[in-house]
Amino acid sequence: MGSKDSLIVTVLAILVFKDYLCESGLAATVTYDHRALVIDGQRRVLLSGSIHYPRSTPEVWPELIRKSKEGGLDVIETYIFWNYHEPVRGEYYFEGRFDLVRFVKVVQEAGLYVHLRIGPYACAEWNYGGFPTWLHFIPGVQFRTSNAIFKEEMKRFLAKIVTIMKEEKLFATQGGPIILAQVENEYGNVEWAYGVGGELYVKWAAETAVSLNTTVPWVMCQQEDAPDPIINTCNGFYCDEFTPNSPSKPKMWTENYSGWFLAFGNPIPFRPVEDLAFSVARFFETGGTFQNYYMYFGGTNFGRTAGGPLIASSYDYDAPIDEYGFIRQPKWGHLRDLHKAIKQCEGYLVNSDPTYERLGVNLEAHIYYKNTQECAAFLANIDKSLDANVTFNGNSYNLPAWSVSILPDCKNVIFNTAKVVSQRSLGDLSYAHPTTMRESLLGPSAWGWYKEKVGIWSDNSFTGSSLLEQINTTKDTSDYLWYTTSINVNEKLTPGQVKEAFLLIESLGHAALVFVNKRPVGFGYGNHEDASFTLSKKVTLNEGNNTLDMLSMIIGLQNYGPWFDIAGAGIFSVILSDLMNNTEDVSSREWTYQIGLEGEYLGLDTISLANSSLWTLGSDIPINQSLIWYKTTFIAPEGTGPLALNLSSMGKGQAWVNGQGIGRYWSAYLAPSAGCTENCDYRGSYDASKCLKNCGQPAQTLYHIPRTWVHSGDNLLVLHEELGGDPSKISVSTRIGQEVCAHVSESDPPPVDAWTPNLEVMSLNPEVRLSCEQGWKITSINFASFGTPEGQCGKFSQGICHGENVLSVVQQACIGQEGCSLPVSAANFGDPCPGVLKSLAIEALCSD
Ligand code: GAL
């Protein structure tokens, strides 16, 4: 065996042993110093990603974790969602999507670590930030401040989670995967609003956490005053300028946003991978050693789990793994390459603090030394528009604007954040194409419907002499609250004559449907930034009694901000005026209230009522009418992948499949028509409103149905439509393939993993690498050209120079394979134009 072989054997042995350590449950100590987390005495560079377990189903957790591991992650970060784990005080729930132990064990089995953000405040665009609503109703409670009742409940829940984790031996010191835990969440952002109580609360939270003796370090994010030994960590789009509050703590980043969340009525935010990679590289360049993507997989806000106001059901987040669990390219691949490049430098990064060297205006180098001879370097061009050539260590380098190059030997560039060589995927679930999608219309024939009553529907209504705040009234048992009263017109009207009046309704949010004499007269709604609204409508009244019924709706409870827990909702003012401008404030007259809808009370969403005689059957389904429950059955399109329900023909409501809530939908709310930048320039500082797409469109038209929620044969779909829609146009689809493409130049760096120390990287060829989702194979090559191909993925065309047999070479290498690699080199294809810089462009179809 040669020395290279024996090196490989040793490396393999170490890798196997490392995996074995984590999987077999051998105990590891976790501490930290000023450079890094220290696991079993070793400082570590760690890449982490957020995946929230209830935002997908347990059956797909292993797949998501596998894709995370292949993407180069070491750690999975998750919040814990108190309100679903303890829906009633003292009654715990840890089943199904909320089986926390199972989730942690899935991560452990894959050989990854866990960062458990116990909170118990999560934020996370989750209903009420994760707090149970019952907590709000304990007399005297005040959230997130030095309040004895709150502290007792919070401590009890923290202790509950820590106890479960200990019993299951899930902390690293017990042989488990948990290396880190978080208490609270970004309290530093709001602490000012809590005065002295806030400061005391931070100290108390820290002491309480430490007293639970988890044996792994605790963090508090966005908390400059985090007391020792708690590590204060950074959250944001960039964290290179962050320094922890003590020289004994490492520089850690708990939330680097891979995109941003989506709200109904808004365009879709996205973050270009070149900028995301730049932020990550800058962080490790400037001394960071732990970085987490928020989110690595966002998933879905099923049922009524979405926070508010108006958070959409999709929590896709433009994350490296999309809402449906598919790898998003080139994001996933470019970051995987970045992770590999950073890991090549791990030995240097953990050994020293970086040495700074100025290379020019907006041009920087940071060098990590292992000894005086050996070093790794990061070269950065932080200029927003100017590319640059720099000289470093005697060599010259080209640095595109807003990019970082990684040199694991202070010489060879193995990665540049702005040069994306990874494959791209074309289209997403919204682009139905027969070769990549299997779709079925639900058909107009098999529907049943139920007309919801307008106004009070039972004798458990109640009255009051003012307009009630909604959350305190419904206790969030339903999105809906009916406010009803009657308006008396005591003028004498001639037969057929009506009285015209104006109705002015003011609401704290989030939306309301208004009926006069049981007929819809208006719909008012707010938006995510401000859910309050006013609705002013001209109405016609009859002589004598008229009914006014207002259905006020909540679209997710507030999850962020100082004192967010006491933010109100619902209608607070109703004024009636006639055309002569005589006004009457009807706010404080007698109102009758009804919590929830009759259909909810009956359980129309459940399987047990699927065949109930409550449903009217027939083909003349009501279309474009408000407050209708619909049901039908459908056969799921064949396959094993997730399904998407297209609700673009519907208005606003909620949907259930086989009794499982797939979320709120709101196709009728279009995003503003301006403000989008489909081709967003990644250069320059990113923020959540910089790169937006989908202007003038509904935020979301496709709704995720996990495959495990359907079975062969008939599946039940129930919708509650509030505004009016056409259910006969609903369709359900599944993806059966994907078009992928890549375009790599002879001048691009070779694959990161081709590099080993002491090897002249420049002598290696760049490669086009294509791969399909597990289970799919490359079935056709739609385009292949080596020479000077033009255009972008999906729109390639041949340039002046192109080789002869390129297509057949590519077909031979790729067809029938799950993936293939092709060196971008004349040696592979022959040289169609000597002396010209060439590139290879390929577009392929993966299918099942
Ligand atoms: C942060 C918060 C996260 C999430 C994020 C936005 O402030 O810590 O939980 O809400 O914002 O997606």
Side-chain angles (χ1 to χ4, degrees), residues 50 169 243 249 349 393 448 541 567 604 608 633 768 776 832:
S50 289
K169 302 210 177 339
T243 21
K249 295 176 187 175
L349 287 167
N393 206 14
L541 301 172
L604 290 182
S608 54
T633 53
V768 161
W776 295 344

Side-chain angles (χ1 to χ4, degrees), residues 79 122-125 185-186 235 255 257 260-261 294 315 317:
Y79 284 123
C123 194
E125 289 69 66
N185 187 72
E186 291 194 336
N235 288 354
E255 290 182 18
Y257 306 108
W260 197 244
F261 62 82
Y294 188 100
Y315 201 60
Y317 226 92

Side-chain angles (χ1 to χ4, degrees), residues 512-558:
L513 249 181
V514 179
F515 299 80
V516 169
N517 292 328
K518 307 292 171 187
R519 271 202 290 275
V521 296
F523 177 59
Y525 52 96
N527 56 47
H528 170 66
E529 287 71 32
D530 178 7
S532 68
F533 61 92
T534 55
L535 182 68
S536 131
K537 280 281 157 194
K538 194 170 178 184
V539 296
T540 51
L541 301 172
N542 304 323
E543 186 181 325
N545 261 348
N546 295 269
T547 56
L548 172 62
D549 298 289
M550 306 185 294
L551 183 63
S552 180
M553 309 163 185
I554 285 182
I555 304 128
L557 293 187
Q558 183 72 256

Side-chain angles (χ1 to χ4, degrees), residues 37 58 72 96 128 131 188 207 230 236 249 262 332 379 428 455 615 625 627 633 669 694 813:
L37 285 181
Y128 214 30
F131 284 128
E207 275 161 26
I230 311 248
K249 295 176 187 175
L262 179 65
W332 182 91
L379 310 185
D428 54 34
W615 294 103
Q625 289 185 31
L627 297 189
T633 53
Y669 197 171
N694 216 36

Side-chain angles (χ1 to χ4, degrees), residues 55-233:
R55 285 178 156 142
S56 59
T57 49
E59 294 77 12
V60 299
W61 291 343
E63 173 81 358
L64 296 174
I65 305 299
R66 179 182 67 75
K67 288 175 175 170
S68 307
K69 186 177 185 179
E70 277 174 26
L73 297 193
D74 310 290
V75 183
I76 301 297
E77 183 179 283
T78 184
Y79 284 123
I80 286 176
F81 302 96
W82 188 4
N83 47 5
Y84 278 76
H85 286 307
E86 196 179 352
V88 175
R89 189 170 181 275
E91 287 176 25
Y92 295 100
Y93 180 79
F94 288 94
E95 310 286 315
R97 284 186 293 127
F98 292 89
D99 191 340
L100 172 62
V101 167
R102 176 168 169 186
F103 180 75
V104 174
K105 287 186 175 170
V106 168
V107 180
Q108 178 176 28
E109 273 152 30
L112 301 189
Y113 296 122
V114 170
H115 173 202
L116 206 61
R117 309 176 88 188
I118 311 180
Y121 169 59
C123 194
E125 289 69 66
W126 188 265
N127 197 40
Y128 214 30
F131 284 128
T133 31
W134 54 256
L135 188 62
H136 172 75
F137 292 100
I138 302 180
V141 75
Q142 281 189 321
F143 285 23
R144 303 178 82 197
T145 186
S146 190
N147 168 280
I149 303 165
F150 179 78
K151 289 194 292 189
E152 192 187 314
E153 294 298 321
M154 170 164 162
K155 182 172 180 181
R156 188 173 56 78
F157 187 72
L158 285 172
K160 171 85 186 171
I161 297 298
V162 170
T163 305
I164 295 174
M165 295 298 120
K166 279 189 187 167
E167 280 169 3
E168 297 285 340
K169 302 210 177 339
L170 293 174
F171 285 106
T173 40
Q174 302 174 291
I178 305 170
I179 54 164
L180 211 57
Q182 175 175 298
V183 60
E184 248 294 340
N185 187 72
E186 291 194 336
Y187 189 69
N189 290 359
V190 296
E191 193 174 335
W192 56 270
Y194 295 80
V196 182
E199 285 167 39
L200 292 172
Y201 170 61
V202 171
K203 291 205 183 74
W204 171 84
E207 275 161 26
T208 304
V210 171
S211 76
L212 295 172
N213 195 24
T214 57
T215 64
V216 299
W218 283 95
V219 304
M220 279 180 148
C221 59
Q222 294 290 85
Q223 194 68 56
E224 262 172 49
D225 57 351
D228 295 345
I230 311 248
I231 308 168
N232 66 311
T233 63

Side-chain angles (χ1 to χ4, degrees), residues 213-420:
N213 195 24
T214 57
T215 64
V216 299
W218 283 95
V219 304
M220 279 180 148
C221 59
Q222 294 290 85
Q223 194 68 56
E224 262 172 49
D225 57 351
D228 295 345
I230 311 248
I231 308 168
N232 66 311
T233 63
C234 182
N235 288 354
F237 291 111
Y238 305 93
C239 279
D240 45 295
E241 288 177 3
F242 171 80
T243 21
N245 65 12
S246 147
S248 67
K249 295 176 187 175
K251 174 169 168 176
M252 294 172 64
W253 190 357
T254 33
E255 290 182 18
N256 181 5
Y257 306 108
S258 54
W260 197 244
F261 62 82
L262 179 65
F264 288 124
N266 284 1
I268 301 177
F270 64 98
R271 185 174 186 188
V273 69
E274 293 91 339
D275 175 64
L276 182 57
F278 173 76
S279 71
V280 176
R282 284 289 284 165
F283 181 70
F284 286 98
E285 170 179 355
T286 54
T289 47
F290 178 105
Q291 187 269 161
N292 176 74
Y293 297 98
Y294 188 100
M295 304 293 295
Y296 194 75
F297 162 80
T300 309
N301 294 314
F302 293 115
R304 296 171 64 238
T305 60
L310 280 86
I311 301 293
S313 295
S314 168
Y315 201 60
D316 178 81
Y317 226 92
D318 195 26
I321 304 177
D322 75 15
E323 177 180 6
Y324 292 83
F326 292 110
I327 284 172
R328 171 170 277 125
Q329 297 284 32
K331 205 166 235 186
W332 182 91
H334 192 53
L335 295 176
R336 178 204 47 200
D337 293 349
L338 166 66
H339 302 154
K340 285 183 182 167
I342 291 170
K343 282 297 168 86
Q344 292 278 12
C345 307
E346 181 167 10
Y348 302 87
L349 287 167
V350 297
N351 197 55
S352 67
D353 288 325
T355 308
Y356 168 78
E357 196 180 311
R358 188 174 184 271
L359 302 176
V361 180
N362 286 335
L363 298 165
E364 302 182 339
H366 284 83
I367 308 134
Y368 289 93
Y369 289 95
K370 212 183 256 179
N371 50 51
T372 47
Q373 304 299 314
E374 293 176 282
C375 62
F378 291 73
L379 310 185
N381 178 355
I382 56 176
D383 199 278
K384 283 193 256 203
S385 52
L386 299 175
D387 296 349
N389 288 316
V390 297
T391 304
F392 170 74
N393 206 14
N395 295 310
S396 70
Y397 301 92
N398 174 264
L399 283 178
W402 205 255
S403 82
V404 177
S405 283
I406 299 179
L407 295 66
D409 55 357
C410 273
K411 186 174 173 199
N412 288 293
V413 173
I414 61 163
F415 184 85
N416 175 277
T417 56
K419 291 186 181 159
V420 178

